[in-house]
Amino acid sequence: MFDLAGHVALVTGAGQNMGAGAARALAAQGAVVAVNDLSLERAEATCEEIEAAGGTAIAVAFDVLDADAVRAAVARVRAEAGRPIDILMNNAGIHPDMGAVPFRQLDPARWRGPIDLNIYGSLYCVHAVLEDMCAAGWGRIVQISSGAGRTGLNIGVAVYGAGKSGIEGFIRHLSQEVAPHGVTANSLALGLMNNSARGDAAVTAHLAASVPAKRLGTPEDVGAAVVFLASPEASWLTGQTINLNGGATTN
Ligand SMILES: NC(=O)c1ccc[n+]([C@@H]2O[C@H](COP(=O)([O-])OP(=O)(O)OC[C@H]3O[C@@H](n4cnc5c(N)ncnc54)[C@H](O)[C@@H]3O)[C@@H](O)[C@H]2O)c1
């Protein structure tokens, strides 16, 4: 089960943390993985990890907000892999302007970044791979969302949450359009992950204690869920947002 040999995946923002974990997991199941990041150095580091484990990876540095660069990279991956991308994980979603600032204090100049990254960054990537997926009659789109896109939180992430809610809505509609072509589209709403506290041990322990599973999520947790959603076995699962959060919320 969950054999991805013969498939080609693109994971955005895969130079570190959750995206890197997903890229490693997809490659371990046999997919050729195009590892994207803004930083070529980080993308190459993830590729080296994949190759050291016996997998195949292609580093593709581009900004997901640059539609021309997205299309060019997708064409390059198709040429290098010898097959089109048929698994897309939209993971890049943390913008420098995301801030943990209450909306009343948030400078309007900081509204657009998190919304554009989560919505337009994902739209450009979906648009660049969708025709090939529909033509092949098989495709998997996995959108990384957040609990902040589903639940009101008083932690100063209202605009980021709007971006995540918006792209989840898009994925639901997209799933209906492409289901007849063998393409699924789902969102994974991540909860508190092991980089949420940005290395502060006391905050990490406090956050972990708040999760029913008593630990924070890891890149490996994300990788396992993405492998399932990307697999042939998940063909009946589409249009859903799945919480991956140690039980922190249950609907
Ligand atoms: N970490 C968490 O606690 C958490 C919780 C809920 C949801 N999420 C979601 O999970 C995803 C991954 O989070 P993370 O913590 O691993 O992120 P991260 O910031 O650690 O890493 C993301 C990578 O994306 C790259 N990136 C940023 N903007 C980009 C762009 N425009 N084009 C290409 N690459 C770009 C960065 O260079 C970085 O290497 C995000 O969508 C985030 O919203 C994370």
Side-chain angles (χ1 to χ4, degrees), residues 13 16-18 37-38 42 63-64 91 160 164 191 195-196:
Q16 62 184 20
N17 294 324
M18 307 312 143
D37 206 282
L38 276 179
R42 281 206 287 271
D63 183 343
V64 295
N91 170 74
Y160 166 76
K164 291 299 195 189
N195 63 339
S196 299

Side-chain angles (χ1 to χ4, degrees), residues 92-109:
I94 303 282
H95 190 274
D97 282 342
M98 172 182 163
V101 183
F103 183 65
R104 288 167 66 199
Q105 278 104 59
L106 189 67
D107 185 333

Side-chain angles (χ1 to χ4, degrees), residues 122-209:
S122 297
L123 296 184
Y124 289 141
C125 291
V126 169
H127 197 253
V129 299
L130 201 55
E131 288 310 316
D132 280 339
M133 289 183 181
C134 290
W138 198 98
R140 298 286 183 266
I141 294 168
V142 182
Q143 175 66 47
I144 296 301
S145 186
S146 164
R150 316 201 77 202
T151 307
L153 301 168
N154 189 14
I155 56 172
V157 294
V159 172
Y160 166 76
K164 291 299 195 189
S165 300
I167 198 63
E168 280 184 26
F170 166 74
I171 291 291
R172 281 191 281 275
H173 288 280
L174 180 72
S175 71
Q176 305 299 293
E177 296 183 16
V178 297
H181 303 285
V183 179
T184 70
N186 294 288
S187 298
L188 264 185
L190 307 188
L192 290 168
M193 309 309 290
N194 63 3
N195 63 339
S196 299
R198 308 289 163 195
D200 184 318
V203 177
T204 297
H206 173 74
L207 293 179

Side-chain angles (χ1 to χ4, degrees), residues 189-192 208 210-217 221 242-251:
L190 307 188
L192 290 168
S210 74
V211 178
K214 299 299 171 202
R215 69 171 179 85
L216 301 180
D221 292 321
I242 299 171
N243 291 319
L244 185 67
N245 62 16
T249 56
T250 53
N251 59 14

